[in-house]
Amino acid sequence: GENVEQHPSTLSVQEGDSAVIKCTYSDSASNYFPWYKQELGKRPQLIIDIRSNVGEKKDQRIAVTLNKTAKHFSLHITETQPEDSAVYFCAATPPYSGGGADGLTFGKGTHLIIQP
Amino acid sequence: GAGVSQSPSNKVTEKGKDVELRCDPISGHTALYWYRQSLGQGLEFLIYFQGNSAPDKSGLPSDRFSAERTGGSVSTLTIQRTQQEDSAVYLCASSLEYGGGYEQYFGPGTRLTVT
């Protein structure tokens, strides 16, 4: 099955600086890579996703890059703000197999702390 | 419209008791997923439903865990003879269709504490 590694586990940056979170995956068949943000005590919410036919996707201050050859993808947050403080999870999933346990395989999360 | 809802929000039970957790997906969503999140940990996939069918139950931690979905809507996750290691937040999610590429919308979770 798929295995997703996420680094770092904790990231502290000054407000206004950029933050980068990296993930690697094991299953070369995976083709969908979402990123979820989870604030303390709240449910995970999708912030951006990328499919394997795209190398980069941007949404305002958030961008995701994907390197299929190296099997890694990254989340980039620019001009960080206090409300960006949360736990961020990356995930990967292969195409529908019709029989496997095909949920999302999540990384263990990165606790992003924005220092004022 | 209404999002994914789960009940109860919190459940405290004694070791050895059975518990039932409920998930109401977004109306019209055919796929439903259960995850478990232990304190400070990531999300562990348990099981998914496409309609009322769960093609693969191998993600369930043990045979004390079971899940069902009726009418293509509500799902229940049942844990029999609960153990302390079952303590976690159980999250449900739904998506419009099953398969990679469909956004999963999460419910608020049920925090289960086994004493």
Side-chain angles (χ1 to χ4, degrees), chain A residues 87-105:
Chain A
V87 178
Y88 291 80
F89 294 97
C90 62
T93 190
Y96 174 56
S97 71
D102 293 327
L104 291 174
T105 301

Side-chain angles (χ1 to χ4, degrees), chain B:
Chain B
V4 178
S5 61
Q6 293 184 245
S7 61
S9 55
N10 281 284
K11 177 71 176 179
V12 180
T13 189
E14 292 180 353
K15 178 181 172 181
K17 300 282 190 181
D18 297 352
V19 295
E20 192 172 278
L21 312 180
R22 177 188 168 106
C23 172
D24 281 87
I26 293 173
S27 177
H29 279 195
T30 62
L32 185 147
Y33 311 79
W34 284 98
Y35 296 89
R36 179 168 70 174
Q37 186 172 31
S38 300
L39 186 63
Q41 299 297 310
L43 291 155
E44 176 190 4
F45 170 72
L46 300 179
I47 192 169
Y48 81 91
F49 289 87
Q50 176 65 359
N52 293 330
S53 174
D56 189 330
K57 301 179 181 179
S58 63
L60 295 174
S62 76
D63 57 9
R64 296 184 295 104
F65 288 71
S66 62
E68 66 174 14
R69 187 180 187 195
T70 55
S73 181
V74 172
S75 176
T76 55
L77 178 69
T78 301
I79 309 173
Q80 296 179 308
R81 305 181 301 282
T82 51
Q83 303 295 312
Q84 289 186 329
E85 61 263 28
D86 299 334
S87 295
V89 175
Y90 289 82
L91 288 160
C92 171
S94 71
S95 62
L96 186 62
E97 296 284 348
Y98 175 74
Y102 288 98
E103 179 179 352
Q104 294 189 19
Y105 295 82
F106 283 83
T110 293
R111 182 176 298 278
L112 175 66
T113 304
V114 181
T115 61

Side-chain angles (χ1 to χ4, degrees), chain A residues 16-96:
Chain A
D17 288 351
S18 295
V20 181
I21 302 169
K22 298 181 180 181
C23 290
T24 61
Y25 62 99
S26 61
D27 188 347
S28 58
S30 287
N31 66 347
Y32 176 62
F33 308 91
W35 285 88
Y36 284 81
K37 176 183 181 181
Q38 187 176 30
E39 298 178 50
L40 187 64
K42 297 190 176 181
R43 71 190 77 186
Q45 291 195 304
L46 180 74
I47 55 170
I48 195 167
D49 57 13
I50 193 167
R51 289 165 176 74
S52 60
N53 59 343
V54 176
E56 183 174 0
K57 183 176 178 180
K58 191 173 181 180
D59 182 4
Q60 298 183 336
R61 297 185 298 108
I62 295 173
V64 57
T65 58
L66 171 65
N67 184 326
K68 285 214 73 183
T69 303
K71 289 190 284 189
H72 67 70
F73 56 112
S74 301
L75 177 71
H76 304 252
I77 305 174
T78 59
E79 301 171 16
T80 52
Q81 301 170 3
E83 55 264 35
D84 295 331
S85 293
V87 178
Y88 291 80
F89 294 97
C90 62
T93 190
Y96 174 56

